[in-house]
Amino acid sequence: MIITANGGFGLKKDILSYEFENLCDYFESIGEKKFRAKQVYEWLHSKKVKNFDEMSNISLSLRTKLSEEFCINGIKIVKKLESSMDNTVKYLYELSDGNHIETVLMDYKHGNSLCISTQVGCKMGCKFCASTIAGFKRNLLPSEMLQQIYTTEEDSGRHVDSIVLMGIGEPLDNYDNVIAFLKMLSDKDGRNMSLRHVSLSTCGLVDRIYDLSEYKFGLTLSISLHAVNDKKRSEIMPVNNKYSISELLKACRYYIEKTGRRISFEYAVIHGVNDTAEDACGLIGLLKGINCHVNLIPVNEIKERDFKADRKALAEFSAMLEKGGLNVTTRRTLGTDINAACGQLRREYEI
Ligand code: SAH
């Protein structure tokens, strides 16, 4: 495995994207003992050093060799917005090649939750989403997903208790790097976070949901549903032209059966588009018998689109779902004063 990153030092191999086994293989290939891999992995992911010189139990000759071959890929804060209403902090980060992504730190009752990006831009084209308007640039490396956690923790002094993959990008469209990231995040010699504290949100790449099921990761899978029939869903989510709602729900049932985890369905409530009584009945019918939870999100109004939120209609919609036996919550909107919805800050910055 060779992943390269600019790292600010020209193109070198990106050591922070190496899973522990890959690092072991590397050290073996250069005739070093396996325990060196553990030491270096700890320096990178537990002590989070920024250069090889800080690895004090590694010989100077090995440190020199590592720094010639590898970089420690970092990300830079270019903008930081702190909400005056709650403890939400939104970061605009610059990657080593000059691209920008967003990361949002939120304060929930159960602890700090970090919303991270998985791609620069997005190619999924959901009509209500700001992240996709300027299109797709590239996938994030595992190191760049990890650095959103490490750098945010260092800057804010706050411990991140849970992660949601709900920032810019479609995580299952960057499948291999996201899988590597999840393995590294939960590695006991690294950040050591239980994947029970991770939610992965997808617009519904069905083939990848089947693949993900096999890992039995214990994470919460969130499905962005947003509409209850194919016509409506295809209008607002082009991915539905490839995978229909029934194919998507079949994959969800498989996921639940394989992992024993319930699924969370995300539903951005857009007034006059998907919040009628008929939509509520449709949703109840679709999700009947599926071990799941429905998370209603008042649509975040973005200036490029004419979608509106209506709190009263949302409350009525929620009540209908509950009456129909669904397990429903409405997501608290945090950081509205700092545009915390995904993709909005990066868009403002890049225009
Ligand atoms: N690509 C992934 C994750 C990123 S978006 C996905 O589609 O799930 C995270 C969540 O925010 C998704 O449920 C997405 O549909 C939703 N979302 C995007 N823009 C929104 C907006 N303007 N208002 C409300 N929810 C939005």
Side-chain angles (χ1 to χ4, degrees):
M1 183 201 66
I2 298 182
I3 300 179
T4 53
N6 184 311
F9 314 96
L11 215 57
K12 288 186 179 181
K13 286 188 276 180
D14 173 21
I15 199 165
L16 213 59
S17 286
Y18 274 54
E19 287 171 51
F20 182 60
E21 308 98 82
N22 301 126
L23 213 52
C24 290
D25 293 346
Y26 168 77
F27 278 100
E28 209 179 1
S29 76
I30 59 164
E32 287 285 343
K33 295 266 184 310
K34 202 174 159 183
F35 76 90
R36 291 279 171 229
K38 188 167 177 330
Q39 288 176 325
V40 169
Y41 198 84
E42 274 173 5
W43 280 114
L44 293 169
H45 298 283
S46 178
K47 296 172 196 149
K48 303 183 185 88
V49 296
K50 293 193 176 61
N51 60 66
F52 293 100
D53 287 340
E54 292 175 61
M55 300 181 174
S56 55
N57 56 0
I58 306 294
S59 70
L60 178 60
S61 63
L62 183 54
R63 277 186 271 147
T64 307
K65 181 172 174 48
L66 290 175
S67 60
E68 280 165 5
E69 229 174 293
F70 294 98
C71 65
I72 302 176
N73 196 15
I75 60 176
K76 255 191 346 226
I77 301 172
V78 272
K79 204 165 178 179
K80 177 178 168 185
L81 299 177
E82 291 172 85
S83 169
S84 55
M85 299 157 75
D86 45 56
N87 276 329
T88 306
V89 185
K90 184 162 189 168
Y91 291 93
L92 183 72
Y93 281 120
E94 187 169 296
L95 308 175
S96 56
D97 64 355
N99 274 307
H100 296 104
I101 51 161
E102 295 174 17
T103 308
V104 186
L105 179 61
M106 293 162 292
D107 183 1
Y108 283 110
K109 270 204 298 287
H110 55 266
N112 291 311
S113 180
L114 193 69
C115 178
I116 69 165
S117 295
T118 55
Q119 296 181 313
V120 181
C122 184
K123 49 177 114 121
M124 295 299 127
C126 298
K127 291 288 185 296
F128 43 82
C129 182
S131 303
T132 199
I133 292 171
F136 170 77
K137 281 208 175 142
R138 70 166 175 86
N139 284 326
L140 291 192
L141 297 164
S143 60
E144 292 164 333
M145 293 181 247
L146 290 165
Q147 279 292 18
Q148 292 176 65
I149 307 168
Y150 301 169
T151 310
T152 302
E153 285 189 325
E154 186 190 16
D155 177 75
S156 66
R158 285 159 64 181
H159 181 265
V160 169
D161 304 292
S162 61
I163 309 278
V164 292
L165 277 68
M166 287 192 186
I168 297 170
E170 167 49 49
L172 297 187
D173 187 44
N174 182 14
Y175 186 77
D176 292 339
N177 288 346
V178 165
I179 296 291
F181 160 74
L182 292 171
K183 288 185 185 164
M184 294 170 84
L185 177 65
S186 54
D187 196 316
K188 62 174 184 0
D189 294 316
R191 182 58 176 73
N192 194 16
M193 178 182 275
S194 160
L195 295 184
R196 294 243 162 200
H197 301 302
V198 175
S199 291
L200 183 152
S201 181
T202 177
C203 62
L205 299 184
V206 165
D207 298 339
R208 292 310 197 184
I209 295 174
Y210 284 109
D211 294 341
L212 184 68
S213 308
E214 305 306 328
Y215 281 103
K216 304 191 180 70
F217 271 144
L219 53 76
T220 299
L221 182 64
S222 295
I223 303 287
S224 299
L225 189 60
H226 307 322
V228 297
N229 63 56
D230 284 322
K231 186 173 176 293
K232 229 180 230 189
R233 191 163 190 268
S234 298
E235 270 166 24
I236 55 174
M237 299 180 72
V239 68
N240 199 71
N241 291 309
K242 182 156 187 208
Y243 303 107
S244 66
I245 293 180
S246 69
E247 285 173 279
L248 175 59
L249 293 182
K250 193 169 159 208
C252 290
R253 287 193 191 90
Y254 182 83
Y255 184 88
I256 295 167
E257 189 190 304
K258 272 278 173 181
T259 63
R261 304 280 293 161
R262 74 174 182 172
I263 283 187
S264 173
F265 287 96
E266 309 288 307
Y267 196 96
V269 186
I270 311 170
H271 190 45
V273 174
N274 64 2
D275 64 349
T276 63
E278 204 185 327
D279 292 310
C281 287
L283 194 53
I284 294 162
L286 275 185
L287 302 184
K288 206 179 196 140
I290 300 182
N291 182 13
C292 69
H293 169 259
V294 178
N295 196 10
L296 300 178
I297 319 167
V299 73
N300 260 304
E301 295 169 13
I302 57 173
K303 65 173 180 300
E304 291 85 352
R305 302 276 185 255
D306 198 21
F307 291 136
K308 293 269 171 273
D310 181 319
R311 288 281 172 173
K312 189 165 164 280
L314 188 147
E316 285 164 13
F317 190 71
S318 171
M320 283 187 271
L321 299 183
E322 267 178 17
K323 221 166 142 199
L326 293 179
N327 196 331
V328 192
T329 47
T330 297
R331 186 184 297 169
R332 244 174 82 212
T333 39
L334 293 177
T336 41
D337 57 330
I338 54 165
N339 253 356
C342 51
Q344 294 191 48
L345 181 61
R346 172 170 173 260
R347 248 191 99 51
E348 282 173 12
Y349 190 78
E350 303 220 322
I351 281 169

